[in-house]
Amino acid sequence: MDNLLDIQFLSLQKDYWDNPWQNRHAFLWELSKIHPVFFLSPPFYIRDLISKNKNQKTNLPEHYSIKSGLYSYVPPSSLPYNYRMPRLNKFIRKLRELRIQHFLNKDGIKSPVLLIWHPNFVDMIDHFNEKLVIYYKYDNYAGYESVNG
């Protein structure tokens, strides 16, 4: 059995480290006190890059060390999602994965536990030599009338 202190995490979510904090930000901040955590933000969509109303989603650079053991990665705008051309999207996705793997290696993350916070990222399973996949399913229970948050 692996030493529990040798576990590393690759976290996939639909937001950016500098966005308003969600529960996952606080969870990953605490987790990074014991285990290295790589916070992987989603790629930009092609429509975001060609839109006249460009919405700045983050001010972070491509790779950023938030603190010791906690790293943020934002895929560059040159490697966006593009669902209209599947072959091009597959090629760009492979380039994105190679870039991500480069920074995982740089940060010493070799066989991480994959934390998936949104079902959009299931296509990332089996691309990073992960030991385990955890899908963290959560809901905003305060949004239901019959339940007190």
Side-chain angles (χ1 to χ4, degrees):
M1 183 172 173
D2 289 335
N3 182 342
L4 290 178
L5 295 178
D6 290 338
I7 297 174
Q8 305 157 330
F9 292 88
L10 171 56
S11 178
L12 309 172
Q13 58 283 314
K14 290 189 62 86
D15 53 2
Y16 303 86
W17 186 261
D18 61 346
N19 287 171
W21 268 33
Q22 305 289 322
N23 65 345
R24 64 188 148 270
H25 290 84
F27 172 77
L28 296 170
W29 180 271
E30 293 300 318
L31 185 62
S32 71
K33 291 178 180 178
I34 304 168
H35 304 284
V37 175
F38 194 91
F39 187 97
L40 178 58
S41 295
F44 297 99
Y45 290 96
I46 190 105
R47 72 171 182 260
D48 296 331
L49 303 176
I50 59 177
S51 170
K52 291 180 182 177
N53 300 325
K54 291 191 178 183
N55 181 10
Q56 183 77 16
K57 294 183 176 192
T58 182
N59 291 314
L60 291 174
E62 180 181 8
H63 182 251
Y64 180 70
S65 179
I66 297 162
K67 67 175 189 135
S68 178
L70 181 57
Y71 311 95
S72 168
Y73 181 79
V74 179
S77 59
S78 59
L79 299 174
Y81 276 137
N82 176 6
Y83 293 115
R84 296 188 184 268
M85 295 179 260
R87 286 179 26 181
L88 177 61
N89 193 52
K90 185 176 179 180
F91 175 74
I92 291 173
R93 183 176 132 196
K94 186 62 180 164
L95 292 176
R96 248 192 334 264
E97 288 172 4
L98 290 170
R99 194 88 180 124
I100 293 164
Q101 191 62 59
H102 165 77
F103 285 109
L104 285 169
N105 291 340
K106 182 177 179 181
D107 294 333
I109 298 174
K110 303 295 182 204
S111 295
V113 171
L114 196 62
L115 292 174
I116 297 179
W117 298 86
H118 194 277
N120 279 6
F121 296 105
V122 296
D123 62 343
M124 300 292 277
I125 295 173
D126 291 332
H127 292 267
F128 299 102
N129 194 33
E130 59 269 13
K131 294 181 189 186
L132 178 69
V133 177
I134 298 172
Y135 173 54
Y136 184 74
K137 185 177 178 185
Y138 59 95
D139 203 347
N140 179 10
Y141 296 108
Y144 296 97
E145 290 181 9
S146 63
V147 178
N148 291 328

